Amino acid sequence: MSVSIDAVYRAESRRVLATLIRLLGDFDRAEEALHDAFAAAVEQWPRDGVPANPRAWLVSAGRFKAIDNLRRRARFDASLALLADQLDAGDEAEVWDGEAVEDDRLRLIFTCCHPALPADAQVPLTLREVCDLKTEEIAHAFLATPSTIAQRIVRAKAKIRDARIPYQVPALNELPERLDSVLRVIYLVFNEGYSASSGETLTRTDLSREAIRLGRLLLELLPEPEVMGLLALMLLHESRRAARASADGELVLLEDQDRSRWDRELIAEGSALVERALTSRRFGPYTLQAAIVAVHAEAEDAAATDWVQIVGLYDVLARVTPSPVVELNRAVAVAMRDGPEAGLALVERLFARGELLDYHLAHAARADFCRRLGCNAEARESYRRALALARQEPERRFLERRLQQLGE
């Protein structure tokens, strides 16, 4: 039974939390109610069995536990008694309204991305509260320390409470200004699921699927070109999931993947969204990235990849959203078009500027260029640096194999 409760926690806890925040109007109160609900489940489910709808059971249990806690504390604060009465008077049909529940996580994302919150806190807060990512995982994604991320999350929650930031999806006229942060959140959630920042496995399917679900919801709510572009990007990446790892969980590079295992339905859907977004001429970085992935998807094999077109798309992307990571990805594409020496020069230029020195994929790219050029000593040095920085076990094993191939 404990295994079943663990499985329900992994599958439903964030959805339950989002609904409890809507019902209770407070992050901390909802988190306490979530813990109380699962504590009740641990006590009752082994005796009574897992309910037919665990999520509904947990939401109801958490709500009633919160009401009880408020009434106990009302001895010290009379306003809590009034709040408890208001919560208790809620219509049960309204509490478990299917449409409202379906939108709760999207509503929570917009709350976490409210413009009143500091920009550097919006995404970490959403990743923590919506997706239950650990502080360490978020810190790795942001190249920050866990203590820094934890402080940002605590301050953001306090700001939501003290400023009484509304827990709602913004009106249509407010959506565009709030959209950039929301898109960034959803994509970071997807990335953590598609290529886990740390741990034993290459991917976390639950997170990438949830990001795609949120992307579909957002597209239904706001059919803007960049929403199409983001959803297309996630679908096209997701289409390759089955081929990204071997049967024993080892990393398989894009050039070595069995393309017959790519999901052609996801590729067709993603490619159609890319075309729609590009036709609008109001697209941005997500659409451009999706267009790059679509070029890969169109190639029958690695040798048929149109690297000229990919480099051209990276040139546009670098102008729209200049960043060291975009430059690194462009360097990889240039190396495929013009040879490893050209790619190495671009990476060396990044390092000379002091950029991406702590990014393991930059050192892995440099190592690969050196390996292909026959500069084995330099390749080993860069592989060792990449290995020291990598935190995901399949990536670490891949780097170790490369070092072994080079005689170390």
Side-chain angles (χ1 to χ4, degrees):
M1 178 57 65
S2 61
V3 174
S4 296
I5 294 176
D6 288 343
V8 170
Y9 183 87
R10 288 193 299 271
E12 301 289 0
S13 62
R14 294 300 102 182
R15 293 182 176 91
V16 172
L17 176 65
T19 298
L20 287 171
I21 293 173
R22 169 170 61 87
L23 298 175
L24 304 177
D26 182 271
F27 274 79
D28 293 334
R29 194 175 293 131
E31 289 174 357
E32 182 182 12
L34 175 71
H35 295 147
D36 287 344
F38 272 98
V42 169
E43 179 183 345
Q44 296 180 36
W45 290 4
R47 181 187 66 235
D48 303 334
V50 178
N53 189 333
R55 194 194 313 175
W57 190 99
L58 289 162
V59 168
S60 296
R63 173 171 170 263
F64 288 126
K65 292 284 186 182
I67 292 170
D68 289 343
N69 287 336
L70 286 170
R71 285 183 171 145
R72 280 199 301 272
R73 296 168 187 167
R75 292 178 297 169
F76 309 102
D77 185 345
S79 64
L80 295 180
L82 177 60
L83 178 58
D85 290 341
Q86 290 173 342
L87 292 174
D88 200 14
D91 184 349
E92 188 67 23
E94 182 180 340
V95 167
W96 193 246
D97 177 80
E99 184 175 346
V101 169
E102 184 65 17
D103 288 345
D104 277 338
R105 301 191 85 180
L106 192 59
R107 187 179 291 110
L108 179 55
I109 286 180
F110 274 107
T111 302
C112 293
C113 296
H114 195 279
L117 299 177
D120 64 358
Q122 293 174 10
V123 178
L125 176 65
T126 309
L127 292 174
R128 180 71 191 92
E129 297 301 320
V130 178
C131 299
D132 201 23
L133 266 67
K134 293 181 175 60
T135 304
E136 291 77 12
E137 294 173 319
I138 302 169
H140 184 262
F142 281 88
L143 303 179
T145 63
S147 60
T148 297
I149 294 298
Q151 290 170 2
R152 291 176 188 172
I153 292 172
V154 169
R155 287 197 294 265
K157 289 167 68 175
K159 175 74 173 180
I160 290 172
R161 182 188 64 245
D162 297 341
R164 298 186 178 183
I165 290 175
Y167 179 68
Q168 61 189 29
V169 175
L172 284 175
N173 63 331
E174 299 174 315
L175 274 173
E177 64 179 296
R178 301 270 296 277
L179 187 58
D180 286 347
S181 292
V182 171
L183 292 176
R184 189 160 62 104
V185 168
I186 294 175
Y187 192 42
L188 278 172
V189 174
F190 177 82
N191 276 338
E192 183 61 30
Y194 185 71
S195 183
S197 61
S198 61
E200 295 294 329
T201 59
L202 186 65
T203 63
R204 294 178 59 183
T205 307
D206 56 333
L207 287 180
S208 56
R209 286 179 178 170
E210 181 61 23
I212 289 172
R213 189 188 75 84
L214 290 171
R216 292 189 191 281
L217 278 175
L218 189 60
L219 182 59
E220 181 179 341
L221 178 71
L222 189 68
E224 288 291 312
E226 270 299 83
V227 181
M228 296 177 198
L230 174 60
L231 180 56
L233 179 59
M234 295 190 294
L235 292 172
L236 289 165
H237 275 312
E238 185 69 10
S239 71
R240 303 200 302 243
R241 176 187 292 277
R244 293 186 64 237
S246 63
D248 53 358
E250 298 303 329
L251 175 66
V252 179
L253 297 181
L254 175 61
E255 62 197 60
D256 300 323
Q257 289 176 15
D258 178 0
R259 300 190 177 209
S260 68
R261 301 185 66 197
W262 289 5
D263 189 323
R264 292 295 157 185
E265 289 186 9
L266 292 182
I267 289 173
E269 183 182 0
S271 298
L273 285 169
V274 170
E275 290 181 12
R276 285 175 59 193
L278 289 173
T279 301
S280 74
R281 299 189 178 277
R282 291 187 293 113
F283 55 84
Y286 294 109
T287 300
L288 288 168
Q289 292 176 74
I292 291 169
V293 184
V295 174
H296 284 292
E298 292 167 359
E300 293 184 2
D301 52 42
T305 304
D306 187 346
W307 290 107
V308 173
Q309 186 178 2
I310 289 176
V311 172
L313 287 167
Y314 271 122
D315 289 341
V316 178
L317 181 61
R319 290 197 297 271
V320 172
T321 311
S323 80
V325 173
V326 170
E327 288 186 55
L328 174 63
N329 292 335
R330 181 182 178 277
V332 173
V334 168
M336 297 303 296
R337 184 191 67 179
D338 301 335
E341 191 170 0
L344 180 61
L346 294 173
V347 172
E348 296 284 17
R349 192 181 304 167
L350 279 169
F351 286 166
R353 298 203 308 258
E355 293 176 317
L356 302 184
L357 293 173
D358 293 327
Y359 188 43
H360 72 287
L361 293 180
H363 293 281
R366 182 184 186 278
D368 184 61
F369 299 151
C370 291
R371 179 185 64 83
R372 289 159 59 187
L373 288 167
C375 303
N376 290 351
E378 291 187 60
R380 283 194 293 268
E381 178 186 352
S382 289
Y383 277 129
R384 284 195 293 268
R385 180 60 179 156
L387 184 59
L389 293 168
R391 297 179 59 193
Q392 185 197 89
E393 288 307 314
E395 286 184 336
R396 290 179 57 80
R397 292 195 296 270
F398 173 83
L399 295 169
E400 288 169 349
R401 288 195 300 275
R402 285 294 202 211
L403 280 168
Q404 290 171 0
Q405 292 165 2
L406 291 172
E408 180 174 324

